[in-house]
Amino acid sequence: MIVAVEGGRRPLVVLVGPPGSGKTTVGQLLARRLGTSFRDTDTDVELRAGMPVADIFVERGEEAFRALERDAVARALTGHDGVLALGGGAVLDAATRASLRGQRVVHLDVGVSDAVARVGLARDRPLLVEAPRTRIAAMLRARAPLYAEVAAAVVDTAGRTPEEVVELVEQSVVRP
């Protein structure tokens, strides 16, 4: 089931979507179901920086975080052969979007109400600390075309359990 590519390994599935879409939860469940590993590029960034994402934003700024994120995604796309979840803003980078071409990318789509409910007070999500509902709505509008650009499939998470989303992801790209 693992696909070999020139120069390294390639993820079985790449999950993209905004904060609150369920990338980590769904990714972990999907990896378990498929008997493979799970990797989250936000975790990779935190390990490399030695601090949480929120602290990177505060202490080093968004530009520094995005550089770390770009590097983490590039490494994961050639060095991980399981399920991969990207940070919600990873698609903002043109080089990252180009690297996602030809990958099995699934956009986990989420509406404003569901995203706000899932994100909560957003203390660990630096871009959503103030006015999360307004910011999420703006983020969804701005990033929708970028998610669409990279996605091989879109799974609407509205009103679905993580297990139902896993089933839909598996149907859409793992066993179409």
Side-chain angles (χ1 to χ4, degrees):
M1 194 176 254
I2 295 169
V3 179
V5 292
E6 188 176 353
R9 300 182 293 180
R10 163 182 157 151
L12 186 58
V13 178
V14 180
L15 301 175
V16 299
S21 62
K23 298 178 299 289
T24 300
T25 300
V26 168
Q28 290 170 337
L29 289 170
L30 180 62
R32 212 171 300 129
R33 182 173 180 160
L34 298 175
T36 192
S37 60
F38 172 75
R39 186 168 173 179
D40 185 318
T41 58
D42 278 349
T43 301
D44 291 351
V45 167
E46 290 178 339
L47 291 171
R48 184 136 191 217
M51 65 179 73
V53 168
D55 290 351
I56 298 168
F57 269 79
V58 170
E59 294 183 24
R60 299 183 186 171
E62 184 175 358
E63 189 175 319
F65 169 76
R66 295 295 175 203
L68 289 165
E69 180 178 55
R70 183 175 32 257
D71 183 59
V73 171
R75 289 173 187 267
L77 288 174
T78 59
H80 180 69
D81 55 14
V83 177
L84 178 63
L86 303 190
V91 297
L92 296 171
D93 183 73
T96 294
R97 291 193 310 276
S99 296
L100 290 170
R101 288 189 192 105
Q103 302 279 345
R104 291 183 181 123
V105 179
V106 177
H107 169 205
L108 297 184
D109 196 16
V110 63
V112 174
S113 295
D114 284 338
V116 170
R118 293 174 188 171
V119 170
L121 296 177
R123 286 179 299 223
D124 62 337
R125 299 177 192 261
L127 295 180
L128 302 177
V129 172
E130 294 179 31
R133 187 174 207 38
T134 302
R135 291 202 129 187
I136 286 175
M139 183 183 294
L140 292 176
R141 280 191 306 275
R143 294 181 183 176
L146 303 177
Y147 294 132
E149 179 183 330
V150 301
V154 178
V155 173
D156 185 358
T157 65
R160 294 193 167 105
T161 66
E163 292 77 12
E164 291 169 328
V165 175
V166 166
E167 179 63 31
L168 292 169
V169 169
E170 190 175 12
Q171 288 173 6
S172 66
V173 294
V174 179
R175 53 178 172 89

